[in-house]
Amino acid sequence: MSSILFVHKILALSTFIFSVLTYPFVNEEPGNNNTEQVITILALDIPGLHNPDGRGAYDVIIKKVLAGQFAIDIQPLPPKRSLVYFDRCEHCCFSPGNTDGNFYNFSEEVRETEPMAVAKIFIFSDYGREPFRHLSELEGKEVGIRLGMPLSHNIIESIDKKKFNVQYAASLEANLTRLKLGRVEAALGWFPDSDLLFAQNKMKPYPHNKAFPVAVHHDALACKGVPERFFQVFNQGIQALRASGELQRLIGPSYAEPQ
């Protein structure tokens, strides 16, 4: 009998020690594990903003505000693929994105962060031509659009109603080349992507009217399944960078202030 009691005491003591050692792991709330919690960020491959080498302006900004708080894995992908992957994932973010129903049809669980900047869609014309101001001016024309890029409902509606003929290309630069060669009569392009492209390649900007964007988009992170603390850390970091002027410096002359 005494040997049986001794065994029970040993087992009880072992169980107690195990529970004490494992308690911090089994009871830890999401987000408290700081750098060990990896957040996947599915990014639109936009030269100058999200680069394959991780040195785009948004790459740098995201890493800076989350440094020491969360480990992140930024994956620049073609636009259509990044949106498909975001739809399928359970714990990730999409950048640059938001929850604006004019652009996306995300589920209710998706939340957006503080915007890093503002993007706009403009209509570009060829050198020497007058810039377009409205989608209605494109009726019957050949128009270049980057394949898979998020578009606003007014643009999608014009495409669906065949107001103009669309020629898709893999990049904004390819569409502008087609414009220069006369293969299309106009090209829809995102700002600041366009300004960054012009600056990096020392190109003369293609004519476009900056007073007449056909759509406006807040460039934030759209996230689902990430800890609440992630939003707190990111938002506070963006606000601090904006207040110090560093956010504007990192994005450069193409920075547009969220309203």
Side-chain angles (χ1 to χ4, degrees):
M1 180 67 69
S2 59
S3 59
I4 295 176
L5 288 174
F6 177 78
V7 169
H8 278 292
K9 287 180 180 180
I10 292 296
L11 289 174
L13 180 60
S14 299
T15 301
F16 174 76
I17 293 173
F18 178 80
S19 65
V20 169
L21 291 175
T22 58
Y23 179 84
F25 300 99
V26 299
N27 290 278
E28 190 165 46
E29 293 183 3
N32 288 342
N33 200 18
N34 291 357
T35 57
E36 291 186 9
Q37 179 143 3
V38 179
I39 305 295
T40 298
I41 298 176
L42 302 165
L44 294 174
D45 182 3
I46 303 174
L49 296 180
H50 281 302
N51 294 352
D53 63 5
R55 296 182 181 180
Y58 287 171
D59 297 318
V60 173
I61 290 165
I62 293 170
K63 291 174 185 176
K64 183 176 286 287
V65 300
L66 296 175
Q69 301 295 323
F70 290 91
I72 56 173
D73 177 21
I74 302 177
Q75 301 179 10
L77 299 165
K80 188 173 182 179
R81 193 186 307 170
S82 64
L83 283 165
V84 169
Y85 286 4
F86 180 66
D87 182 59
R88 294 175 179 174
C89 78
E90 295 182 357
H91 313 284
C92 65
C93 295
F94 170 72
S95 176
N98 56 49
T99 56
D100 186 348
N102 188 38
F103 287 93
Y104 307 103
N105 187 30
F106 292 148
S107 63
E108 293 183 358
E109 65 176 323
V110 176
R111 294 171 54 192
E112 66 181 79
T113 64
E114 180 85 10
M116 296 175 283
V118 168
K120 301 175 183 180
I121 302 178
F122 291 108
I123 308 172
F124 293 88
S125 58
D126 192 11
Y127 294 126
R129 302 272 184 178
E130 287 296 316
F132 297 99
R133 298 189 300 175
H134 305 291
L135 288 173
S136 59
E137 298 176 49
L138 301 180
E139 190 160 352
K141 290 181 167 51
E142 297 291 325
V143 179
I145 296 177
R146 184 182 177 189
L147 182 65
M149 283 293 281
L151 299 172
S152 55
H153 282 175
N154 60 328
I155 297 174
I156 294 173
E157 184 178 17
S158 294
I159 295 173
D160 290 344
K161 291 183 176 180
K162 302 186 184 304
K163 295 290 186 179
F164 48 80
N165 301 314
V166 178
Q167 292 191 25
Y168 290 105
S171 66
L172 171 61
E173 186 173 13
N175 272 320
L176 293 175
T177 298
R178 288 180 179 182
L179 183 60
K180 186 176 181 179
L181 294 173
R183 295 176 183 173
V184 296
E185 299 165 88
L188 293 182
W190 282 91
F191 161 94
D193 318 18
S194 54
D195 276 18
L196 293 168
L197 176 66
F198 299 147
Q200 289 169 0
N201 292 280
K202 298 181 180 179
M203 298 167 57
K204 177 183 176 182
Y206 280 76
H208 61 288
N209 196 319
K210 288 195 173 183
F212 291 91
V214 293
V216 177
H217 179 280
H218 279 200
D219 280 3
L221 302 187
C223 303
K224 58 181 177 179
V226 302
E228 176 64 31
R229 200 175 65 83
F230 177 87
F231 291 97
Q232 297 169 356
V233 170
F234 189 86
N235 292 346
Q236 290 172 5
I238 291 297
Q239 291 165 5
L241 286 183
R242 181 172 288 120
S244 69
E246 188 171 2
L247 185 67
Q248 296 87 326
R249 181 187 64 78
L250 289 170
I251 297 175
S254 301
Y255 174 80
E257 186 84 17
Q259 300 298 319

PDB file of all heavy atoms in Angstrom, residues 218-254:
ATOM      1  N   HIS A 218      -7.719  54.644 -50.163  1.00  0.00           N
ATOM      2  CA  HIS A 218      -6.854  54.767 -48.997  1.00  0.00           C
ATOM      3  C   HIS A 218      -5.945  53.543 -48.927  1.00  0.00           C
ATOM      4  O   HIS A 218      -6.433  52.405 -48.847  1.00  0.00           O
ATOM      5  CB  HIS A 218      -7.681  54.892 -47.725  1.00  0.00           C
ATOM      6  CG  HIS A 218      -8.181  56.281 -47.500  1.00  0.00           C
ATOM      7  ND1 HIS A 218      -8.595  56.743 -46.272  1.00  0.00           N
ATOM      8  CD2 HIS A 218      -8.326  57.333 -48.340  1.00  0.00           C
ATOM      9  CE1 HIS A 218      -8.966  58.008 -46.361  1.00  0.00           C
ATOM     10  NE2 HIS A 218      -8.822  58.382 -47.621  1.00  0.00           N
ATOM     11  N   ASP A 219      -4.645  53.774 -48.962  1.00  0.00           N
ATOM     12  CA  ASP A 219      -3.670  52.679 -48.924  1.00  0.00           C
ATOM     13  C   ASP A 219      -3.365  52.290 -47.479  1.00  0.00           C
ATOM     14  O   ASP A 219      -2.472  52.842 -46.825  1.00  0.00           O
ATOM     15  CB  ASP A 219      -2.376  53.090 -49.629  1.00  0.00           C
ATOM     16  CG  ASP A 219      -2.494  52.987 -51.134  1.00  0.00           C
ATOM     17  OD1 ASP A 219      -3.585  52.650 -51.629  1.00  0.00           O
ATOM     18  OD2 ASP A 219      -1.495  53.259 -51.834  1.00  0.00           O
ATOM     19  N   ALA A 220      -4.120  51.322 -46.984  1.00  0.00           N
ATOM     20  CA  ALA A 220      -3.939  50.808 -45.623  1.00  0.00           C
ATOM     21  C   ALA A 220      -3.607  49.317 -45.726  1.00  0.00           C
ATOM     22  O   ALA A 220      -3.295  48.815 -46.804  1.00  0.00           O
ATOM     23  CB  ALA A 220      -5.217  51.030 -44.819  1.00  0.00           C
ATOM     24  N   LEU A 221      -3.673  48.621 -44.602  1.00  0.00           N
ATOM     25  CA  LEU A 221      -3.626  47.164 -44.594  1.00  0.00           C
ATOM     26  C   LEU A 221      -5.037  46.658 -44.311  1.00  0.00           C
ATOM     27  O   LEU A 221      -5.700  47.148 -43.396  1.00  0.00           O
ATOM     28  CB  LEU A 221      -2.682  46.624 -43.518  1.00  0.00           C
ATOM     29  CG  LEU A 221      -1.220  47.052 -43.541  1.00  0.00           C
ATOM     30  CD1 LEU A 221      -0.440  46.265 -42.491  1.00  0.00           C
ATOM     31  CD2 LEU A 221      -0.600  46.870 -44.905  1.00  0.00           C
ATOM     32  N   ALA A 222      -5.504  45.709 -45.095  1.00  0.00           N
ATOM     33  CA  ALA A 222      -6.762  45.028 -44.810  1.00  0.00           C
ATOM     34  C   ALA A 222      -6.387  43.690 -44.186  1.00  0.00           C
ATOM     35  O   ALA A 222      -5.657  42.909 -44.798  1.00  0.00           O
ATOM     36  CB  ALA A 222      -7.561  44.826 -46.088  1.00  0.00           C
ATOM     37  N   CYS A 223      -6.851  43.441 -42.970  1.00  0.00           N
ATOM     38  CA  CYS A 223      -6.383  42.261 -42.216  1.00  0.00           C
ATOM     39  C   CYS A 223      -7.537  41.440 -41.664  1.00  0.00           C
ATOM     40  O   CYS A 223      -8.614  41.973 -41.375  1.00  0.00           O
ATOM     41  CB  CYS A 223      -5.493  42.692 -41.051  1.00  0.00           C
ATOM     42  SG  CYS A 223      -4.057  43.679 -41.512  1.00  0.00           S
ATOM     43  N   LYS A 224      -7.267  40.156 -41.482  1.00  0.00           N
ATOM     44  CA  LYS A 224      -8.223  39.272 -40.809  1.00  0.00           C
ATOM     45  C   LYS A 224      -7.460  38.234 -39.999  1.00  0.00           C
ATOM     46  O   LYS A 224      -6.364  37.801 -40.378  1.00  0.00           O
ATOM     47  CB  LYS A 224      -9.137  38.588 -41.819  1.00  0.00           C
ATOM     48  CG  LYS A 224      -8.437  37.762 -42.887  1.00  0.00           C
ATOM     49  CD  LYS A 224      -9.458  37.154 -43.841  1.00  0.00           C
ATOM     50  CE  LYS A 224      -8.798  36.389 -44.975  1.00  0.00           C
ATOM     51  NZ  LYS A 224      -9.763  35.762 -45.895  1.00  0.00           N
ATOM     52  N   GLY A 225      -8.036  37.881 -38.858  1.00  0.00           N
ATOM     53  CA  GLY A 225      -7.440  36.859 -38.012  1.00  0.00           C
ATOM     54  C   GLY A 225      -6.154  37.260 -37.331  1.00  0.00           C
ATOM     55  O   GLY A 225      -5.416  36.397 -36.861  1.00  0.00           O
ATOM     56  N   VAL A 226      -5.864  38.554 -37.254  1.00  0.00           N
ATOM     57  CA  VAL A 226      -4.643  39.000 -36.579  1.00  0.00           C
ATOM     58  C   VAL A 226      -5.023  39.580 -35.212  1.00  0.00           C
ATOM     59  O   VAL A 226      -6.160  39.994 -35.003  1.00  0.00           O
ATOM     60  CB  VAL A 226      -3.882  40.062 -37.416  1.00  0.00           C
ATOM     61  CG1 VAL A 226      -3.532  39.492 -38.782  1.00  0.00           C
ATOM     62  CG2 VAL A 226      -4.687  41.342 -37.571  1.00  0.00           C
ATOM     63  N   PRO A 227      -4.085  39.601 -34.271  1.00  0.00           N
ATOM     64  CA  PRO A 227      -4.407  40.083 -32.924  1.00  0.00           C
ATOM     65  C   PRO A 227      -4.824  41.556 -32.907  1.00  0.00           C
ATOM     66  O   PRO A 227      -4.374  42.361 -33.738  1.00  0.00           O
ATOM     67  CB  PRO A 227      -3.085  39.899 -32.154  1.00  0.00           C
ATOM     68  CG  PRO A 227      -2.305  38.915 -32.952  1.00  0.00           C
ATOM     69  CD  PRO A 227      -2.691  39.128 -34.374  1.00  0.00           C
ATOM     70  N   GLU A 228      -5.646  41.906 -31.954  1.00  0.00           N
ATOM     71  CA  GLU A 228      -6.070  43.300 -31.785  1.00  0.00           C
ATOM     72  C   GLU A 228      -4.870  44.205 -31.584  1.00  0.00           C
ATOM     73  O   GLU A 228      -4.838  45.349 -32.063  1.00  0.00           O
ATOM     74  CB  GLU A 228      -7.019  43.401 -30.585  1.00  0.00           C
ATOM     75  CG  GLU A 228      -7.457  44.819 -30.253  1.00  0.00           C
ATOM     76  CD  GLU A 228      -8.269  45.472 -31.359  1.00  0.00           C
ATOM     77  OE1 GLU A 228      -8.981  44.752 -32.086  1.00  0.00           O
ATOM     78  OE2 GLU A 228      -8.184  46.713 -31.507  1.00  0.00           O
ATOM     79  N   ARG A 229      -3.874  43.693 -30.889  1.00  0.00           N
ATOM     80  CA  ARG A 229      -2.688  44.506 -30.613  1.00  0.00           C
ATOM     81  C   ARG A 229      -1.940  44.872 -31.888  1.00  0.00           C
ATOM     82  O   ARG A 229      -1.246  45.880 -31.949  1.00  0.00           O
ATOM     83  CB  ARG A 229      -1.750  43.756 -29.650  1.00  0.00           C
ATOM     84  CG  ARG A 229      -0.752  44.661 -28.931  1.00  0.00           C
ATOM     85  CD  ARG A 229       0.059  43.850 -27.914  1.00  0.00           C
ATOM     86  NE  ARG A 229       0.891  42.863 -28.591  1.00  0.00           N
ATOM     87  CZ  ARG A 229       2.084  43.150 -29.122  1.00  0.00           C
ATOM     88  NH1 ARG A 229       2.569  44.382 -29.052  1.00  0.00           N
ATOM     89  NH2 ARG A 229       2.797  42.218 -29.708  1.00  0.00           N
ATOM     90  N   PHE A 230      -2.088  44.053 -32.931  1.00  0.00           N
ATOM     91  CA  PHE A 230      -1.457  44.360 -34.211  1.00  0.00           C
ATOM     92  C   PHE A 230      -1.981  45.685 -34.750  1.00  0.00           C
ATOM     93  O   PHE A 230      -1.210  46.536 -35.211  1.00  0.00           O
ATOM     94  CB  PHE A 230      -1.738  43.240 -35.216  1.00  0.00           C
ATOM     95  CG  PHE A 230      -1.185  43.504 -36.594  1.00  0.00           C
ATOM     96  CD1 PHE A 230       0.117  43.154 -36.913  1.00  0.00           C
ATOM     97  CD2 PHE A 230      -1.973  44.106 -37.570  1.00  0.00           C
ATOM     98  CE1 PHE A 230       0.626  43.401 -38.183  1.00  0.00           C
ATOM     99  CE2 PHE A 230      -1.471  44.354 -38.837  1.00  0.00           C
ATOM    100  CZ  PHE A 230      -0.173  44.002 -39.141  1.00  0.00           C
ATOM    101  N   PHE A 231      -3.299  45.877 -34.686  1.00  0.00           N
ATOM    102  CA  PHE A 231      -3.893  47.127 -35.157  1.00  0.00           C
ATOM    103  C   PHE A 231      -3.410  48.306 -34.312  1.00  0.00           C
ATOM    104  O   PHE A 231      -3.108  49.381 -34.842  1.00  0.00           O
ATOM    105  CB  PHE A 231      -5.423  47.049 -35.104  1.00  0.00           C
ATOM    106  CG  PHE A 231      -6.016  46.089 -36.105  1.00  0.00           C
ATOM    107  CD1 PHE A 231      -6.356  44.805 -35.733  1.00  0.00           C
ATOM    108  CD2 PHE A 231      -6.231  46.478 -37.423  1.00  0.00           C
ATOM    109  CE1 PHE A 231      -6.905  43.917 -36.650  1.00  0.00           C
ATOM    110  CE2 PHE A 231      -6.774  45.602 -38.350  1.00  0.00           C
ATOM    111  CZ  PHE A 231      -7.110  44.318 -37.963  1.00  0.00           C
ATOM    112  N   GLN A 232      -3.340  48.102 -33.003  1.00  0.00           N
ATOM    113  CA  GLN A 232      -2.904  49.171 -32.111  1.00  0.00           C
ATOM    114  C   GLN A 232      -1.475  49.593 -32.414  1.00  0.00           C
ATOM    115  O   GLN A 232      -1.178  50.788 -32.545  1.00  0.00           O
ATOM    116  CB  GLN A 232      -3.030  48.715 -30.653  1.00  0.00           C
ATOM    117  CG  GLN A 232      -4.462  48.420 -30.219  1.00  0.00           C
ATOM    118  CD  GLN A 232      -4.528  47.733 -28.866  1.00  0.00           C
ATOM    119  OE1 GLN A 232      -3.511  47.399 -28.261  1.00  0.00           O
ATOM    120  NE2 GLN A 232      -5.739  47.498 -28.379  1.00  0.00           N
ATOM    121  N   VAL A 233      -0.589  48.611 -32.548  1.00  0.00           N
ATOM    122  CA  VAL A 233       0.825  48.900 -32.817  1.00  0.00           C
ATOM    123  C   VAL A 233       0.982  49.585 -34.176  1.00  0.00           C
ATOM    124  O   VAL A 233       1.686  50.592 -34.307  1.00  0.00           O
ATOM    125  CB  VAL A 233       1.669  47.606 -32.769  1.00  0.00           C
ATOM    126  CG1 VAL A 233       3.083  47.856 -33.281  1.00  0.00           C
ATOM    127  CG2 VAL A 233       1.706  47.062 -31.341  1.00  0.00           C
ATOM    128  N   PHE A 234       0.321  49.044 -35.187  1.00  0.00           N
ATOM    129  CA  PHE A 234       0.462  49.589 -36.536  1.00  0.00           C
ATOM    130  C   PHE A 234      -0.089  51.016 -36.610  1.00  0.00           C
ATOM    131  O   PHE A 234       0.571  51.923 -37.137  1.00  0.00           O
ATOM    132  CB  PHE A 234      -0.256  48.698 -37.553  1.00  0.00           C
ATOM    133  CG  PHE A 234       0.033  49.076 -38.980  1.00  0.00           C
ATOM    134  CD1 PHE A 234       1.142  48.572 -39.638  1.00  0.00           C
ATOM    135  CD2 PHE A 234      -0.793  49.959 -39.665  1.00  0.00           C
ATOM    136  CE1 PHE A 234       1.430  48.934 -40.950  1.00  0.00           C
ATOM    137  CE2 PHE A 234      -0.522  50.327 -40.972  1.00  0.00           C
ATOM    138  CZ  PHE A 234       0.588  49.810 -41.621  1.00  0.00           C
ATOM    139  N   ASN A 235      -1.286  51.214 -36.081  1.00  0.00           N
ATOM    140  CA  ASN A 235      -1.915  52.542 -36.162  1.00  0.00           C
ATOM    141  C   ASN A 235      -1.108  53.601 -35.422  1.00  0.00           C
ATOM    142  O   ASN A 235      -0.911  54.713 -35.929  1.00  0.00           O
ATOM    143  CB  ASN A 235      -3.344  52.481 -35.612  1.00  0.00           C
ATOM    144  CG  ASN A 235      -4.267  51.659 -36.494  1.00  0.00           C
ATOM    145  OD1 ASN A 235      -3.933  51.345 -37.640  1.00  0.00           O
ATOM    146  ND2 ASN A 235      -5.426  51.307 -35.972  1.00  0.00           N
ATOM    147  N   GLN A 236      -0.642  53.255 -34.229  1.00  0.00           N
ATOM    148  CA  GLN A 236       0.164  54.213 -33.464  1.00  0.00           C
ATOM    149  C   GLN A 236       1.472  54.518 -34.181  1.00  0.00           C
ATOM    150  O   GLN A 236       1.937  55.656 -34.190  1.00  0.00           O
ATOM    151  CB  GLN A 236       0.432  53.654 -32.066  1.00  0.00           C
ATOM    152  CG  GLN A 236      -0.803  53.618 -31.174  1.00  0.00           C
ATOM    153  CD  GLN A 236      -0.571  52.876 -29.869  1.00  0.00           C
ATOM    154  OE1 GLN A 236       0.551  52.447 -29.568  1.00  0.00           O
ATOM    155  NE2 GLN A 236      -1.619  52.707 -29.087  1.00  0.00           N
ATOM    156  N   GLY A 237       2.055  53.490 -34.809  1.00  0.00           N
ATOM    157  CA  GLY A 237       3.302  53.687 -35.533  1.00  0.00           C
ATOM    158  C   GLY A 237       3.131  54.595 -36.738  1.00  0.00           C
ATOM    159  O   GLY A 237       3.960  55.483 -36.987  1.00  0.00           O
ATOM    160  N   ILE A 238       2.052  54.407 -37.500  1.00  0.00           N
ATOM    161  CA  ILE A 238       1.780  55.256 -38.664  1.00  0.00           C
ATOM    162  C   ILE A 238       1.525  56.692 -38.239  1.00  0.00           C
ATOM    163  O   ILE A 238       2.019  57.647 -38.857  1.00  0.00           O
ATOM    164  CB  ILE A 238       0.578  54.713 -39.458  1.00  0.00           C
ATOM    165  CG1 ILE A 238       0.939  53.391 -40.146  1.00  0.00           C
ATOM    166  CG2 ILE A 238       0.109  55.730 -40.498  1.00  0.00           C
ATOM    167  CD1 ILE A 238       2.033  53.494 -41.187  1.00  0.00           C
ATOM    168  N   GLN A 239       0.762  56.858 -37.165  1.00  0.00           N
ATOM    169  CA  GLN A 239       0.471  58.217 -36.681  1.00  0.00           C
ATOM    170  C   GLN A 239       1.746  58.925 -36.247  1.00  0.00           C
ATOM    171  O   GLN A 239       1.926  60.121 -36.518  1.00  0.00           O
ATOM    172  CB  GLN A 239      -0.531  58.147 -35.527  1.00  0.00           C
ATOM    173  CG  GLN A 239      -1.927  57.714 -35.950  1.00  0.00           C
ATOM    174  CD  GLN A 239      -2.811  57.311 -34.787  1.00  0.00           C
ATOM    175  OE1 GLN A 239      -2.423  57.441 -33.619  1.00  0.00           O
ATOM    176  NE2 GLN A 239      -3.999  56.813 -35.078  1.00  0.00           N
ATOM    177  N   ALA A 240       2.643  58.190 -35.606  1.00  0.00           N
ATOM    178  CA  ALA A 240       3.909  58.780 -35.158  1.00  0.00           C
ATOM    179  C   ALA A 240       4.788  59.152 -36.346  1.00  0.00           C
ATOM    180  O   ALA A 240       5.398  60.226 -36.372  1.00  0.00           O
ATOM    181  CB  ALA A 240       4.642  57.806 -34.230  1.00  0.00           C
ATOM    182  N   LEU A 241       4.859  58.283 -37.361  1.00  0.00           N
ATOM    183  CA  LEU A 241       5.661  58.579 -38.549  1.00  0.00           C
ATOM    184  C   LEU A 241       5.104  59.786 -39.295  1.00  0.00           C
ATOM    185  O   LEU A 241       5.868  60.621 -39.798  1.00  0.00           O
ATOM    186  CB  LEU A 241       5.696  57.367 -39.484  1.00  0.00           C
ATOM    187  CG  LEU A 241       6.551  56.170 -39.077  1.00  0.00           C
ATOM    188  CD1 LEU A 241       6.508  55.106 -40.161  1.00  0.00           C
ATOM    189  CD2 LEU A 241       7.991  56.582 -38.810  1.00  0.00           C
ATOM    190  N   ARG A 242       3.782  59.876 -39.365  1.00  0.00           N
ATOM    191  CA  ARG A 242       3.166  61.009 -40.068  1.00  0.00           C
ATOM    192  C   ARG A 242       3.420  62.310 -39.313  1.00  0.00           C
ATOM    193  O   ARG A 242       3.727  63.343 -39.923  1.00  0.00           O
ATOM    194  CB  ARG A 242       1.665  60.767 -40.250  1.00  0.00           C
ATOM    195  CG  ARG A 242       0.948  61.890 -41.006  1.00  0.00           C
ATOM    196  CD  ARG A 242      -0.485  61.537 -41.326  1.00  0.00           C
ATOM    197  NE  ARG A 242      -0.558  60.538 -42.369  1.00  0.00           N
ATOM    198  CZ  ARG A 242      -1.113  59.340 -42.229  1.00  0.00           C
ATOM    199  NH1 ARG A 242      -1.641  58.985 -41.072  1.00  0.00           N
ATOM    200  NH2 ARG A 242      -1.130  58.488 -43.229  1.00  0.00           N
ATOM    201  N   ALA A 243       3.295  62.268 -37.993  1.00  0.00           N
ATOM    202  CA  ALA A 243       3.492  63.470 -37.180  1.00  0.00           C
ATOM    203  C   ALA A 243       4.929  63.977 -37.257  1.00  0.00           C
ATOM    204  O   ALA A 243       5.178  65.183 -37.229  1.00  0.00           O
ATOM    205  CB  ALA A 243       3.102  63.186 -35.730  1.00  0.00           C
ATOM    206  N   SER A 244       5.879  63.056 -37.389  1.00  0.00           N
ATOM    207  CA  SER A 244       7.293  63.442 -37.443  1.00  0.00           C
ATOM    208  C   SER A 244       7.739  63.864 -38.839  1.00  0.00           C
ATOM    209  O   SER A 244       8.823  64.426 -39.010  1.00  0.00           O
ATOM    210  CB  SER A 244       8.171  62.277 -36.974  1.00  0.00           C
ATOM    211  OG  SER A 244       8.142  61.219 -37.920  1.00  0.00           O
ATOM    212  N   GLY A 245       6.907  63.562 -39.845  1.00  0.00           N
ATOM    213  CA  GLY A 245       7.268  63.882 -41.218  1.00  0.00           C
ATOM    214  C   GLY A 245       8.040  62.773 -41.914  1.00  0.00           C
ATOM    215  O   GLY A 245       8.332  62.865 -43.108  1.00  0.00           O
ATOM    216  N   GLU A 246       8.357  61.689 -41.170  1.00  0.00           N
ATOM    217  CA  GLU A 246       9.145  60.613 -41.769  1.00  0.00           C
ATOM    218  C   GLU A 246       8.336  59.821 -42.784  1.00  0.00           C
ATOM    219  O   GLU A 246       8.880  59.338 -43.788  1.00  0.00           O
ATOM    220  CB  GLU A 246       9.684  59.676 -40.686  1.00  0.00           C
ATOM    221  CG  GLU A 246      10.670  58.653 -41.228  1.00  0.00           C
ATOM    222  CD  GLU A 246      11.375  57.869 -40.144  1.00  0.00           C
ATOM    223  OE1 GLU A 246      11.073  58.077 -38.952  1.00  0.00           O
ATOM    224  OE2 GLU A 246      12.219  57.034 -40.497  1.00  0.00           O
ATOM    225  N   LEU A 247       7.030  59.686 -42.549  1.00  0.00           N
ATOM    226  CA  LEU A 247       6.177  58.971 -43.491  1.00  0.00           C
ATOM    227  C   LEU A 247       6.207  59.654 -44.855  1.00  0.00           C
ATOM    228  O   LEU A 247       6.369  59.002 -45.892  1.00  0.00           O
ATOM    229  CB  LEU A 247       4.744  58.910 -42.960  1.00  0.00           C
ATOM    230  CG  LEU A 247       3.742  58.091 -43.773  1.00  0.00           C
ATOM    231  CD1 LEU A 247       4.091  56.616 -43.739  1.00  0.00           C
ATOM    232  CD2 LEU A 247       2.327  58.300 -43.249  1.00  0.00           C
ATOM    233  N   GLN A 248       6.067  60.971 -44.845  1.00  0.00           N
ATOM    234  CA  GLN A 248       6.109  61.740 -46.083  1.00  0.00           C
ATOM    235  C   GLN A 248       7.470  61.601 -46.766  1.00  0.00           C
ATOM    236  O   GLN A 248       7.545  61.503 -47.998  1.00  0.00           O
ATOM    237  CB  GLN A 248       5.809  63.211 -45.791  1.00  0.00           C
ATOM    238  CG  GLN A 248       4.402  63.477 -45.244  1.00  0.00           C
ATOM    239  CD  GLN A 248       4.280  63.348 -43.743  1.00  0.00           C
ATOM    240  OE1 GLN A 248       4.944  62.511 -43.117  1.00  0.00           O
ATOM    241  NE2 GLN A 248       3.446  64.180 -43.136  1.00  0.00           N
ATOM    242  N   ARG A 249       8.535  61.574 -45.972  1.00  0.00           N
ATOM    243  CA  ARG A 249       9.878  61.470 -46.532  1.00  0.00           C
ATOM    244  C   ARG A 249      10.089  60.108 -47.177  1.00  0.00           C
ATOM    245  O   ARG A 249      10.695  60.003 -48.262  1.00  0.00           O
ATOM    246  CB  ARG A 249      10.925  61.695 -45.429  1.00  0.00           C
ATOM    247  CG  ARG A 249      12.370  61.623 -45.928  1.00  0.00           C
ATOM    248  CD  ARG A 249      13.359  61.670 -44.781  1.00  0.00           C
ATOM    249  NE  ARG A 249      13.261  60.524 -43.894  1.00  0.00           N
ATOM    250  CZ  ARG A 249      13.767  59.319 -44.172  1.00  0.00           C
ATOM    251  NH1 ARG A 249      14.396  59.107 -45.321  1.00  0.00           N
ATOM    252  NH2 ARG A 249      13.643  58.325 -43.308  1.00  0.00           N
ATOM    253  N   LEU A 250       9.605  59.040 -46.536  1.00  0.00           N
ATOM    254  CA  LEU A 250       9.799  57.693 -47.060  1.00  0.00           C
ATOM    255  C   LEU A 250       9.056  57.482 -48.377  1.00  0.00           C
ATOM    256  O   LEU A 250       9.553  56.806 -49.277  1.00  0.00           O
ATOM    257  CB  LEU A 250       9.337  56.658 -46.029  1.00  0.00           C
ATOM    258  CG  LEU A 250      10.227  56.511 -44.782  1.00  0.00           C
ATOM    259  CD1 LEU A 250       9.535  55.647 -43.741  1.00  0.00           C
ATOM    260  CD2 LEU A 250      11.582  55.913 -45.155  1.00  0.00           C
ATOM    261  N   ILE A 251       7.865  58.047 -48.497  1.00  0.00           N
ATOM    262  CA  ILE A 251       7.088  57.892 -49.726  1.00  0.00           C
ATOM    263  C   ILE A 251       7.554  58.872 -50.791  1.00  0.00           C
ATOM    264  O   ILE A 251       7.558  58.578 -51.972  1.00  0.00           O
ATOM    265  CB  ILE A 251       5.577  58.060 -49.457  1.00  0.00           C
ATOM    266  CG1 ILE A 251       5.108  56.937 -48.511  1.00  0.00           C
ATOM    267  CG2 ILE A 251       4.778  58.053 -50.744  1.00  0.00           C
ATOM    268  CD1 ILE A 251       3.668  57.044 -48.077  1.00  0.00           C
ATOM    269  N   GLY A 252       8.005  60.043 -50.347  1.00  0.00           N
ATOM    270  CA  GLY A 252       8.566  61.022 -51.280  1.00  0.00           C
ATOM    271  C   GLY A 252       7.524  61.978 -51.824  1.00  0.00           C
ATOM    272  O   GLY A 252       6.425  62.112 -51.273  1.00  0.00           O
ATOM    273  N   PRO A 253       7.851  62.664 -52.915  1.00  0.00           N
ATOM    274  CA  PRO A 253       6.959  63.689 -53.478  1.00  0.00           C
ATOM    275  C   PRO A 253       5.590  63.144 -53.885  1.00  0.00           C
ATOM    276  O   PRO A 253       4.657  63.921 -54.050  1.00  0.00           O
ATOM    277  CB  PRO A 253       7.735  64.188 -54.713  1.00  0.00           C
ATOM    278  CG  PRO A 253       9.156  63.841 -54.444  1.00  0.00           C
ATOM    279  CD  PRO A 253       9.130  62.576 -53.664  1.00  0.00           C
ATOM    280  N   SER A 254       5.480  61.824 -54.049  1.00  0.00           N
ATOM    281  CA  SER A 254       4.213  61.227 -54.455  1.00  0.00           C
ATOM    282  C   SER A 254       3.250  61.039 -53.291  1.00  0.00           C
ATOM    283  O   SER A 254       2.124  60.566 -53.484  1.00  0.00           O
ATOM    284  CB  SER A 254       4.465  59.870 -55.115  1.00  0.00           C
ATOM    285  OG  SER A 254       5.306  60.005 -56.247  1.00  0.00           O
TER     286      SER A 254
END
